[in-house]
Amino acid sequence: MIPPAFEYHRPTDIAGALGVIAEHGDEARVIAGGHSLIPMMKLRMVEIAHLIDLQDVADLKGISVGETIRIGAMVTQHGLINDAALSAAAPILREAALQIADPQVRYCGTVGGNVANGDPGNDMPGLMQCLDATFTLVGPDGSRDVPAREFYEAAYTTAREDDEILTAISFAKPAGGYAYEKQKRKIGDYATAAAAVLIEKQGGKITAASIAMTNLSDIPVFSEAAGDALKGTDGTGAALDKAVAAMLADIDPTEDNRGPVEFKKHVAGVILRRAIARAVDRA
Amino acid sequence: MNDMTPNREERVANLKGLGCKRKRVEDARFTQGKGNYVDDIKLPGMLFGDFVRSPYAHARIKSINAEAALALPGVIAVLTAKDLEPLGLHWMPTLAGDKQMVLADGKVLFQGQEVAFVVASDRYVAADAIELVEVEYDDLPVITDPFKALEDGATVLREDIADKKEGAHGPRRHHNHIFLWEEGNKAATEAVISSADVVAEEMVYYHRTHPCPLETCGCVASMDKINGKLTLYGTFQAPHVVRTVASLLSGIDEHNIRVVSPDIGGGFGNKVGVYPGYVCSIVASIVTGKPVKWIEDRMDNLMATAFARDYWMQGKIAATKEGKITGLWCHVTADHGAFDACADPTKYPAGFFHICTGSYDIPVAYVGVDGVYTNKAPGGVAYRCSFRVTEAAYFIERMIEILAQKLDMDAAELRRINFIRKEQFPYHSALGWEYDSGDYHTAWDKALEAVDYKGLRKEQAERLEAFKRGETRKLMGIGLTFFTEIVGAGPVKNCDILGMGMFDSCEIRIHPTGSAIARLGTISQGQGHATTFAQILASEIGISADKITVEEGDTDTAPYGLGTYGSRSTPVAGAATALAGRKIRAKAQMIAAYLLEVHDNDLEWDVDRFVVKGAPERFKTMAEIAYASYNQAIPGLEPGLEAVSYYDPPNMTYPFGAYICVMDIDVDTGVADIRQFYALDDCGTRINPMVIEGQVHGGLTEALAIAMGQEIAYDEMGNVKTGTLMDFFLPTAWETPNYVTDHTETPSPHHPIGAKGVGESPNVGGVPAFSNAVHDAFRAFGLKQSHMPHDHWRIWKTANKLGLHG
C-alpha cells in the first residue's frame, strides 16, 4: 500500500496545470480530492510520474447560483452540502452528497474528481445526467463543453482528452420534485443501486421526468425511456411499472461482493420506485 | 481523630476500587494521539522489511530471481527459504503442533503467502523492491472447500507430510486431514437420538472471518552484536511466550532476549501467534546488525495473518415431545487453511468447542471435529472469544431455535425448561466441563421482562398478518440468545501453550510514600488493564487506584505470564493481582502490629488501614505502614514492601448472559434495521461498570459485523475477495445500533474476588442474537437455516427462496 515515487506539482492556475501536462504528456495526471486516485496509486494499479495537485487553483473553486448553476470542479462534497444557496436551488445535490462516503472523505472529495474519474461507482455522474448538466473541459486548444449524458464511454473512459482538465459543471436550476435514493452495504460504500429522479408536475400529471441510475452498468445510466413512461401520468400503477421495466432494460449490472445480477436488478427496481414516489410527492 | 479525617464512606470512595466507574487512565494519551505503538518506534539506522507475496493460492515455485531488486539503491538483502534453511528457520513450529513455512519452500499454499523478504534502508524502497523480485510459478489445482479436500484423489496440499499417518493430535486418515478430535459418548448419544421423540438436524456454518484489529501486526527486531542482546518490539498479545519461542528458534539464550509489547491497537486473537514477519525481521537484524522494522499493511493483514472461525457444524439435537433435551450430537469440519496454526491450548485442537452444550442440562452429548487443510491462509484464532467458544455458542443457540421450530414451541420457553438450574452448580457437563456457578433462570426472566417479550411477540404476530395482507413489506425478527462462556485459561494441569502452563502473574512494589507499581504477565490491547487492575489492587491494599501504576509488556521487567486473550486477564492475572495484594497486606499487618505495639491478631483491616480491635482511634494507614517498612528496622521482618504471585487457576470461569435483538427486515432489499438490542451480562464481580459497558459495546459491534456482513471470502481460484475495507465489513458509528446493557452478578466461587471476565461475552452471545433475529423473522415461512453473514443479498435470497417476492 505504498505508491511508487512521483514528482509532485502544485500549480496556482489552470494554465500552470496545463503546462505541466503539456510538458509530461501521458506521465502527468491531475489530482483533485485524491480519494479515488491515491488508493489506486497505493495499490500500484496506476503509476503516475507527475502528479498535479489542483487544490491551489482558485479558478476551480466556487459555486454560483442563478437560473444556471455553476460549480467549480474543486468544490468538495462538504462544500456542496454546506452551500445554503445551492441547497435551496438544487436540493437533490445536497441529498445525494450526504450519501457519498463519510464526513472525513467529503471534506476532501470533490465534485470534479467524482464526475471526471469515470468510476461507475461514483454517485455524481448519474446525478449530473439526471440534471442534464454540462461539463466544461479546458485544454491546450481552449475550452469546450460536453453534456454529462455524452461524457461517459466505459469504466474510467470518458470524453475528456488526456490533455484536458475538467474545470466546472453547470446545469439549469431544476424545477419540481426530486429524490436521490441509494442502497449501500455500509457507510462509505458504493451503491448496490442508486437512482436520481427529477419530476415536474402540472394538475396532478407528470410533465417532465428525468431518471438516472448509478453503479448498475460500467457507466452511469440515463434512462430516457423510464422518464418518458411517467409523462402524462400520476407516476403510480402501470406507469410506474413501465418506468421500472424501461430502466431495467437500460441497466447492465455485474456480479460483485454486493450480490449477483438478479439481486441488483431487483433492488434497482425497488430503489427507483421509492425515488419516483418521493420525487412525485415533492413535485 | 479530628474533623478533617474522612469518614469510612469517603475513604472507600477515595480508593476508586472495585465497582468504581473510574475513567480509563490510558485514554488521556490515546485520545490525544500520544500512544506509543510499534510503528512509532524509530531506532537509529533502522532498516525496513517487506514481503513478496504469492498471487496464487497453490503453485510450485520454479525460480526466484532477486537480481533486479538487489540492484535497486537502498536494497540491502532479499531473503528466501534457501537463505533461512541453513539456520533451520525456513519452517517454524505452530502453536497447534504443526509446522509452517516462514518463506515459501518449493511451493505456495495460499494467496498472500510470504515468498521472499526484502530488506531496504527505506520503507518506500522496500515497497519498490518487492515489485522487482521475479518469481516464476507453476500453478497447481486449488482446493478452497474442506469437504472436497477430503475426497479421494484430492490434490495433495501438504507434500511435506503427505505420508505421515500420525499428526500432533492423533491419526490422519487422508493426506489433507489434520486430526479428528472427539469428546463425549458417541454410542450413547447416537442411541438417544435414534430413539428420541423429536430430533432436529441441521448444518450450521460459521463462516471464515478475521479479527481485523485497527493496528495491523508488526515488529522491530534489534540485535546488538556487541552485547549479544536481541530486543524485539512488537504487537504481541503474549510477549513472554514470544520470548521463549524466539529463544528456542534462534538459539539465543532467553536472558539475552527482551520482548516489548508497546501500546497495541486491538488484538482480538490476531496477535497471539508467531508470524513469518517476526522471524524474518529477527534474522535480518542478526545478519545486518541493524534494527529491522516490519509492519503489515491492511491487505497483508486481511489476507495472510490469522483468520477466525470457518467451522461447518453438523448437528442433531434430541428432545422429548415436551421439549426436554435428551442428547446433542455434533460433527465439525474445520477448515484450518494451509497450516494448522490455531492458537489453542496444546491439548485442545478444537479449543473449548465442547462447551457446545451451552447453558442447558443435556444428559448425553458427543462432539467430533475433523481438522482439514485447504488453500487458504492459516489461523483459526479466537477472535474476541475464548478458544472456539463463539462457534460453540452459535451452534447450540441455532440448534435450540431449530428445535423450537420443530416442536412448534416458543424458543424462550424451550430455553427455560432446559437451563441448568441454580442448585445444580457446580455442574458437570456431558462433555467434561465443571461449570463453576450460574443463575440462568433469574437472568433470563429479567431479560424477557426488560424487553417486554410477550409484547414483542404480539407485535410480531400483528406485523406478520399485516405482511400477509400486503400492508407492509417488513418482517419483524426477535433474536434470542442465552450463552455460557468458558474463559480464564487455564489450569496448568490441562492448559499450556508450547509447554508453558497457562498461569499468570503479578508483582507489586509499594513505594515509601504510599504509592505503588504493579507489573503483570498480561498485556492490554485496549482492555484498560492499567485502570482496572489498579482497582483490584486498591481494594486489596488500601492505596488509591490513582496512586498505582500498572505496567505490562516488557519481559525484562514484568513477571512471566501467558498474555491477554481468551478473556483470561481478569480470571488469571486479576486473581494473581488480588493474591499478591493479600501478601502485601499480610506483611503490612505485621508492621502495623509492631508500630501499634499489639499482637497481629488484635488488628482488623478497615478499607485503607489496620485498626486495633475495639479501639478505632488507634490505627496505621497503609501509607504509614509503607513508610515504616522502608525507614525503620522491624524485628523479624525484611525491609521493604513487595510481593509477587503466580496464579494457577483451579478451574475456568463461566460468565453468561442473555441477549435479545429486535430487527425489522425489508424483504425486497434485504436491509435489516436493528431497532433494539438488550444485553444482560453476568461476569461475576464487576470491577469497573463503565469499562464493562465499553467492552460490551465493542464486542457487540464486532458481533454485528460478523453476523451481518463481515467475511473472508475466496473465489474458486483461492483469490481473497474481501481483502480491503471496502468489502470487509468493519462497522462505524453509523451502522452501530443503540445497545441497552444490564447485568446480574453471580460471583465465581473459586476466583479470589469472584470476577469472571467479560471482554468476549458480547461477541460470543452477540453473533447468535443477531443471526437468530434474521432467522426468526422468516420462521413463519419455514426457514430453518441460512448461513451468515446476513448481508443484504443473502437476506434477499432467503426471502426470494421462500417465495416472498411474489
Side-chain angles (χ1 to χ4, degrees), chain A residues 1-5 43-44 183-190 257-260 262-263 266-267 270 274, chain B residues 123-124 127-128 131 297 299 666 668-669 671 721-722 725-729 732 734-735 792-793 796 805:
Chain A
M1 297 288 273
I2 289 181
L43 292 167
R44 296 190 177 226
Q183 179 163 333
K184 55 187 174 182
R185 296 171 297 179
K186 57 181 180 177
I187 203 82
D189 194 16
Y190 293 129
N257 285 336
R258 292 173 191 82
E262 185 194 12
F263 165 67
H266 189 108
V267 171
V270 174
R274 288 178 186 174
Chain B
R123 180 68 188 88
Y124 289 79
D128 288 342
E131 302 276 305
D297 69 25
M299 291 177 72
D666 183 327
D668 290 323
T669 59
V671 175
K721 291 162 67 183
T722 51
L725 296 186
M726 174 60 85
D727 288 309
F728 184 86
F729 178 38
T732 67
W734 186 265
E735 292 85 13
H792 296 166
W793 96 259
W796 179 88
H805 293 146

Side-chain angles (χ1 to χ4, degrees), chain A residues 233-259:
Chain A
T233 77
D234 65 356
T236 63
L240 182 57
D241 292 344
K242 206 173 152 195
V244 169
M247 176 278 290
L248 291 173
D250 286 343
I251 62 171
D252 183 20
T254 51
E255 177 167 348
D256 60 19
N257 285 336
R258 292 173 191 82

Side-chain angles (χ1 to χ4, degrees), chain B residues 331-358:
Chain B
H331 177 265
V332 181
T333 301
D335 186 339
H336 286 232
F339 307 99
D340 187 9
C342 288
D344 294 314
T346 305
K347 295 189 184 80
Y348 298 96
F352 303 156
F353 182 78
H354 48 312
I355 193 72
C356 67
T357 52

Side-chain angles (χ1 to χ4, degrees), chain B residues 50-88:
Chain B
D50 200 355
F51 279 111
V52 177
R53 292 179 182 275
S54 170
Y56 296 102
H58 195 197
R60 209 166 295 290
I61 294 181
K62 287 169 70 181
S63 66
I64 301 176
N65 182 347
E67 268 177 46
L70 286 165
L72 190 69
V75 174
I76 313 289
V78 177
L79 300 178
T80 65
K82 282 202 174 68
D83 302 305
L84 299 181
E85 192 171 359
L87 307 167

Side-chain angles (χ1 to χ4, degrees), chain B residues 467-735:
Chain B
F467 181 88
K468 286 176 177 169
R469 291 193 301 268
E471 294 163 14
T472 177
R473 296 295 289 160
K474 286 189 179 178
L475 292 170
M476 181 175 157
I478 303 166
L480 304 176
T481 285
F482 197 99
F483 66 93
T484 296
E485 261 261 68
I486 171 167
V487 305
V492 171
K493 64 179 189 288
N494 296 326
C495 295
D496 72 273
I497 288 194
L498 292 176
M500 300 295 116
M502 294 181 75
F503 60 85
D504 226 291
S505 59
C506 176
E507 179 192 279
I508 302 166
R509 293 181 194 175
I510 311 295
H511 304 316
T513 52
S515 61
I517 183 166
R519 294 189 171 106
L520 293 90
T522 44
I523 176 69
S524 180
Q525 305 124 40
Q527 289 90 341
H529 290 176
T531 306
T532 50
F533 287 136
Q535 290 181 251
I536 294 175
L537 201 49
S539 288
E540 292 291 342
I541 63 172
I543 289 174
S544 170
D546 289 343
K547 292 188 174 182
I548 301 170
T549 297
V550 172
E551 218 180 73
E552 306 169 298
D554 184 337
T555 60
D556 265 9
T557 55
Y560 203 102
L562 271 277
T564 294
Y565 43 85
S567 275
R568 64 184 302 280
S569 297
T570 291
V572 190
T577 303
L579 294 183
R582 287 172 197 179
K583 289 182 184 174
I584 295 279
R585 211 163 82 188
K587 183 172 178 183
Q589 185 167 1
M590 291 189 268
I591 296 169
Y594 170 79
L595 296 174
L596 291 162
E597 298 179 335
V598 297
H599 190 273
D600 293 0
N601 294 341
D602 293 332
L603 293 174
E604 61 188 358
W605 176 249
D606 179 36
V607 183
D608 56 355
R609 62 195 56 188
F610 279 104
V611 180
V612 177
K613 286 176 187 167
E617 74 287 358
R618 295 192 62 210
F619 62 83
K620 288 290 172 188
T621 66
M622 199 62 175
E624 291 171 314
I625 296 165
Y627 197 62
S629 76
Y630 284 91
N631 82 344
Q632 55 183 290
I634 300 170
L637 287 179
E638 290 178 2
L641 196 51
E642 299 189 4
V644 59
S645 174
Y646 282 76
Y647 184 76
D648 177 9
N651 190 3
M652 309 287 183
T653 62
Y654 297 77
F656 59 91
Y659 291 176
I660 298 169
C661 172
V662 185
M663 236 180 234
D664 294 302
I665 288 177
D666 183 327
V667 298
D668 290 323
T669 59
V671 175
D673 278 331
I674 295 149
R675 77 156 101 138
Q676 186 179 357
F677 199 105
Y678 169 89
L680 179 150
D681 274 283
D682 191 320
C683 57
T685 302
R686 291 157 57 81
I687 298 165
N688 182 327
M690 189 182 69
V691 168
I692 291 171
E693 195 172 11
Q695 287 273 26
V696 172
H697 283 214
L700 287 176
T701 304
E702 284 181 324
L704 165 81
I706 295 165
M708 304 308 289
Q710 186 179 86
E711 64 176 323
I712 295 291
Y714 289 83
D715 67 15
E716 285 187 353
M717 299 297 291
N719 298 307
V720 179
K721 291 162 67 183
T722 51
T724 75
L725 296 186
M726 174 60 85
D727 288 309
F728 184 86
F729 178 38
L730 208 58
T732 67
W734 186 265
E735 292 85 13

